[in-house]
Amino acid sequence: MVYGQIFHQHSSDDCFINVNVGGFKQRMEHTVLRKFPQTRLGRLLCCSSTEAILELCDDFSPSEMEYYFDRNPRFFCYVLNFYLTGKIHLVDGLCVVSFCQEIEYWGIKERHLDFCCSNKFYELRELSEDKCWDQRSDDLQPHSSDSSSEELSAVEENIEMFEGSWCADVRRNIWIRLENPGYSTSAKAMAVASLSMVIVSIVAMCVHSMPDFHQVDANEKEIENPVLSFFENLCVLFFSAEFILRLVVAPSARKFLCSPLNIIDLMSVIPFYVTIACDIMDEGESTELENVGKVVQILRLMRVFRILKLARHSAGLRSLGATLRHSSREVGLLVLFLSVGISMFSALIYFVEKESQESELQTIPIGWWWATISMTTVGYGDTFPVTLAGKLIGTLCIICGLLIVALPITNIFNKFSKFYQKQKHIDLRQISSNYFCFYS
C-alpha cells in the first residue's frame, strides 16, 4: 500500500504498531500517532494493560502486537490520510450519519475537516437533521442522541479551546455561567440580572417618549429627565460591562465578535457612547455641526436594538431567527408572488379608476400602495376603489392575496415549530453537556 511506504521503513519494530481494520493491515509509526494524542489510535500508545487496550479496540494479539478493529476498512484509508496531513475528507458514497459515527469512533473532531469538504458536510448534515426532526416532531424525546450534535459539539469544542490559555479554569467557569443560565444558581442570578436590565431599559425608553416626562430648561430647550437618564446610564454601564466580560472570557474573540447575538449586544451600547461624543461636539455650537442633533436622534432611536437582547433569554426568539434564516426560499417565493400580484392589480385598478373624479387611484404608484395593503389584508381605508369594476378587482385582489400569503406560510410555521422544539431540547441537553465537558 502507498500508506505503508510513506512511513520510515528502517525504524525498529518498537516504534510501530500493527493495525488490522476489517482485514486491512497497516503498520503505523508512533511519532505519527503522537501528533493526535486524543484520537483512538493515539490513546493506544498510553495503555499500560491489556484491559485498557481492549477498551479501545475489538481484539488484541500480544504475540504479534496487532490491534483488531471491526470497522469499515475503506474509511480507514481516510483515517490514515488524516494522520499524515492533519485533515479529514468526506468519503464518497458514505452517508453523512455514518461519516459522523466513524470520525467519532476514531476520535477525530469535525474541525479537522478540510475546507474543500466542510461546507458540503454541514449542508448534508443539516439536511439529514431536518429529515430526522420532521420524522420525530410528534414524539421528540429528551434522550435522543443525534438531535443537537452540532450545538453540543460546538460547546465541547469551545471548552476544549480553553486548554493551554491564560487563566483557563477561571475563564471557563465564568464563560459557562454566562452562556448557560441553567448551569448553577449563580448562572441563574446572572441571567436574571441581565434580563432585568433589558426590561428596565425598554421601559425607560418607552417612558421617555411620553410628553408627561419631558423637561425643559430656562431657555425652553428640552433636556433629559434626570431619573430616566440615571436608569439609562445604569443599564448601558451594565450592558457594557457584561459585553466586555463575555469578550474577555470567550474561548475565541473572533468567533465571539461574529456571533449574531453578540453583534446585537454591541449595537445596543454603541449609540450611547456615540451620542455622548456628538453632544460634546455640539457644545461649541459650530455651524458645521448643525446636523449633529439629527444624528443624535437617529442614534438614540437605535436603542431599540436592546429589545433584541431578549433573544439571549428566549428560545422562541432564537427559533424565529433560525426559522427566517432557513426559510429564505419560502420568504423569497412569498415576496415574488406578492410582487407579481401587486404589479398586476395596481395596473388593473388604475385603468378602471382613472376616469373617476372621486377616486384617489389616479396613478399606478398609488395603485401599488392600495394593492399592497389589500393583498396583505391590512386595509387602512385611505385609498379605495369607487367604481363597480374597481370594487370587483378589489375583491379579487383580496382573495388572491389570502391564497398567495397562505401558500408558503404553512412551511414556515412547520419550520418554526421544528426549530422551537429543537431549541428547547438543546437547552435541556446543554446543562448536562457542560457538566460532562467540564469534568471529563
Side-chain angles (χ1 to χ4, degrees):
M1 290 294 295
V2 175
Y3 296 103
Q5 298 173 359
I6 294 177
F7 298 113
H8 300 291
Q9 298 179 359
H10 301 289
S11 300
S12 62
D13 292 339
D14 294 336
C15 297
F16 289 85
I17 66 171
N18 298 314
V19 179
N20 188 329
V21 180
F24 175 79
K25 297 183 179 182
Q26 180 67 44
R27 297 182 71 201
M28 303 191 67
E29 190 175 0
H30 287 188
T31 56
V32 176
L33 300 180
R34 288 195 181 99
K35 295 179 182 178
F36 306 96
Q38 300 300 324
T39 60
R40 183 174 291 265
L41 295 181
R43 291 158 57 193
L44 277 176
L45 302 180
C46 302
C47 295
S48 57
S49 63
T50 304
E51 291 76 14
I53 292 175
L54 292 177
E55 289 180 1
L56 298 174
C57 63
D58 297 309
D59 201 359
F60 172 64
S61 175
S63 59
E64 300 179 359
M65 293 301 296
E66 189 171 20
Y67 304 87
Y68 297 89
F69 297 89
D70 189 15
R71 305 299 294 188
N72 188 344
R74 180 187 173 198
F75 183 85
F76 187 68
C77 296
Y78 290 82
V79 175
L80 291 175
N81 186 67
F82 162 75
Y83 282 104
L84 295 177
T85 64
K87 296 293 182 180
I88 190 73
H89 294 268
L90 285 176
V91 181
D92 294 335
L94 187 66
C95 76
V96 66
V97 177
S98 298
F99 180 82
C100 292
Q101 294 173 350
E102 288 292 336
I103 62 174
E104 181 181 2
Y105 175 82
W106 293 109
I108 302 173
K109 301 296 183 181
E110 294 173 6
R111 63 175 179 269
H112 293 302
L113 271 169
D114 205 353
F115 179 78
C116 59
C117 298
S118 59
N119 292 335
K120 181 180 179 181
F121 168 76
Y122 290 120
E123 290 176 358
L124 292 175
R125 189 173 65 177
E126 182 180 351
L127 180 60
S128 176
E129 289 181 352
D130 287 344
K131 292 181 179 179
C132 183
W133 275 98
D134 288 337
Q135 294 174 357
R136 297 180 299 174
S137 58
D138 296 332
D139 54 348
L140 184 64
Q141 299 297 327
H143 299 290
S144 58
S145 59
D146 299 327
S147 60
S148 57
S149 58
E150 181 177 353
E151 289 80 2
L152 295 179
S153 63
V155 172
E156 181 181 355
E157 180 179 347
N158 286 334
I159 293 180
E160 288 179 353
M161 293 176 67
F162 284 107
E163 298 297 335
S165 60
W166 60 278
C167 300
D169 294 336
V170 176
R171 291 172 57 221
R172 178 169 51 191
N173 287 334
I174 298 176
W175 178 78
I176 291 177
R177 284 167 172 80
L178 289 173
E179 293 297 319
N180 186 8
Y183 180 75
S184 64
T185 303
S186 59
K188 293 179 181 178
M190 293 179 184
V192 170
S194 178
L195 182 60
S196 300
M197 284 297 176
V198 173
I199 295 176
V200 169
S201 176
I202 294 173
V203 172
M205 182 177 62
C206 296
V207 172
H208 184 272
S209 65
M210 301 172 62
D212 295 340
F213 293 90
H214 292 177
Q215 293 186 359
V216 295
D217 57 10
N219 298 324
E220 298 298 326
K221 182 180 180 181
E222 185 175 343
I223 60 175
E224 294 286 341
N225 188 299
V227 177
L228 296 178
S229 297
F230 169 77
F231 284 108
E232 172 73 11
N233 297 338
L234 178 63
C235 293
V236 171
L237 289 177
F238 180 88
F239 296 149
S240 302
E242 181 187 27
F243 181 83
I244 293 173
L245 180 61
R246 289 179 182 273
L247 178 61
V248 171
V249 302
S252 173
R254 183 182 61 83
K255 292 178 62 176
F256 177 85
L257 294 175
C258 293
S259 172
L261 291 179
N262 297 326
I263 293 176
I264 291 173
D265 292 344
L266 183 61
M267 293 295 294
S268 66
V269 298
I270 283 182
F272 175 81
Y273 297 105
V274 178
T275 300
I276 293 178
C278 292
D279 289 339
I280 294 175
M281 296 172 61
D282 197 28
E283 289 179 355
E285 296 183 357
S286 172
T287 55
E288 297 179 357
L289 300 176
E290 57 183 3
N291 294 325
V292 169
K294 295 181 179 180
V295 175
V296 171
Q297 292 180 1
I298 295 175
L299 292 173
R300 287 175 178 170
L301 181 62
M302 291 178 64
R303 291 181 297 181
V304 73
F305 280 110
R306 296 176 192 171
I307 299 177
L308 300 179
K309 286 174 67 67
L310 294 173
R312 188 179 295 277
H313 309 281
S314 172
L317 287 177
R318 294 195 299 271
S319 302
L320 177 61
T323 301
L324 295 178
R325 188 168 62 251
H326 291 82
S327 301
S328 57
R329 182 177 301 175
E330 289 81 0
V331 174
L333 288 175
L334 177 60
V335 173
L336 175 63
F337 295 159
L338 287 175
S339 300
V340 173
I342 291 170
S343 300
M344 181 178 66
F345 285 108
S346 61
L348 291 176
I349 202 69
Y350 163 72
F351 283 110
V352 299
E353 292 283 319
K354 65 178 181 179
E355 302 297 337
S356 176
Q357 299 296 327
E358 299 178 358
S359 177
E360 298 181 359
L361 299 170
Q362 299 295 324
T363 62
I364 291 181
I366 297 178
W368 288 343
W369 169 249
W370 169 82
T372 301
I373 61 177
S374 297
M375 295 196 70
T376 55
T377 67
V378 175
Y380 289 117
D382 53 347
T383 55
F384 52 89
V386 296
T387 63
L388 177 61
K391 292 179 180 179
L392 292 176
I393 293 176
T395 302
L396 184 61
C397 177
I398 295 173
I399 295 175
C400 291
L402 288 173
L403 296 176
I404 289 174
V405 172
L407 288 176
I409 288 298
T410 302
N411 290 334
I412 297 176
F413 173 78
N414 289 337
K415 284 193 175 183
F416 173 80
S417 178
K418 176 188 66 177
F419 281 114
Y420 181 74
Q421 292 177 352
K422 183 177 181 180
Q423 189 63 53
K424 296 293 289 185
H425 177 69
I426 292 171
D427 291 342
L428 293 175
R429 289 285 304 275
Q430 194 173 14
I431 299 176
S432 58
S433 174
N434 280 335
Y435 275 113
F436 174 78
C437 294
F438 181 75
Y439 291 106
S440 61

